[in-house]
Amino acid sequence: PVRMGRLDVLPHSPPGFAAVADSLVQECRTLDVRLHTELIAVHGGGRVDSVEMIYGVRNKSYFAGVSEFEKAGIQMALATDDGSMGFHGRVTQLLEQRPPTDHWYGCGPEPMLKALGDLAHEKKMPCHVSLESPMACGLGICFSCVVKVKTGDGWDYRRICVDGPVFDSSCLVHD
């Protein structure tokens, strides 16, 4: 079974990856990762000399922070659903055109994360996603932020606020 939990305890996270979640701009230059908003792809082997973020939105008016990421030395690959800027299509379609990697990480809307998980399954790519959910207590007591995950007996609920927010995409049950 794949252990689920916070980013810094994931079994396949590269060293220092939790720092990306905590402080992306400050830490990304020192990590051996390729960043994809919505998607983060980790390269194995030698050190990656640059960081690339694949950033997808509905139209160009939704982009935020692009110049700050570029000032931090991050190469940007932009995608818009309507084609108003960058690649015309979804961020997962742009990801399919990128060079192969060893691991993907994603954050964003649920349908995109499902598409990313499906693509990762198809390509036999390890993939972890950061989930969002309204949380009443944030301590795991109220169970308002549960997500279905696969278990040996079928499925069970896990609390995003306590057991996540990062989960192996192959463990998620999508209804």
Side-chain angles (χ1 to χ4, degrees):
V2 176
R3 178 185 169 115
M4 290 173 275
R6 299 208 176 275
L7 204 52
D8 57 351
V9 297
L10 289 174
H12 301 295
S13 293
F17 184 76
V20 172
D22 296 335
S23 182
L24 174 64
V25 175
Q26 290 80 10
E27 298 294 331
C28 65
R29 289 183 179 168
T30 64
L31 299 177
D32 189 11
V33 298
R34 293 183 64 166
L35 299 175
H36 302 274
T37 253
E38 328 249 345
L39 309 173
I40 298 171
V42 178
H43 288 265
R47 185 158 189 82
V48 175
D49 293 330
S50 63
V51 175
E52 177 185 22
M53 175 186 259
I54 297 181
Y55 187 177
V57 294
R58 281 186 261 164
N59 66 57
K60 67 181 180 180
S61 67
Y62 287 96
F63 283 118
V66 173
S67 62
E68 286 81 3
F69 287 119
E70 289 174 334
K71 286 177 189 171
I74 299 171
Q75 296 174 7
M76 301 296 293
L78 306 177
T80 52
D81 292 349
D82 69 356
S84 57
M85 182 178 258
F87 177 79
H88 183 180
R90 298 184 183 268
V91 72
T92 48
Q93 293 170 315
L94 181 53
L95 176 64
E96 288 185 86
Q97 298 180 3
R98 310 313 291 177
T101 60
D102 294 326
H103 203 115
W104 290 340
Y105 294 88
C107 62
E110 234 178 276
M112 191 280 305
L113 294 177
K114 182 184 180 323
L116 175 61
D118 291 346
L119 182 61
H121 177 76
E122 174 188 319
K123 305 261 185 201
K124 296 181 173 52
M125 175 73 62
C127 178
H128 286 83
V129 295
S130 181
L131 303 180
E132 297 178 20
S133 175
M135 297 177 194
C137 73
L139 303 171
I141 297 167
C142 70
F143 281 75
S144 69
C145 64
V146 295
V147 62
K148 280 185 174 181
V149 297
K150 297 174 188 172
T151 66
D153 298 333
W155 64 270
D156 197 0
Y157 288 113
R158 294 289 184 267
R159 298 163 294 175
I160 294 173
C161 70
V162 174
D163 302 312
V166 177
F167 293 87
D168 183 327
S169 66
S170 68
C171 293
L172 298 177
V173 176
H174 299 281
D175 291 328

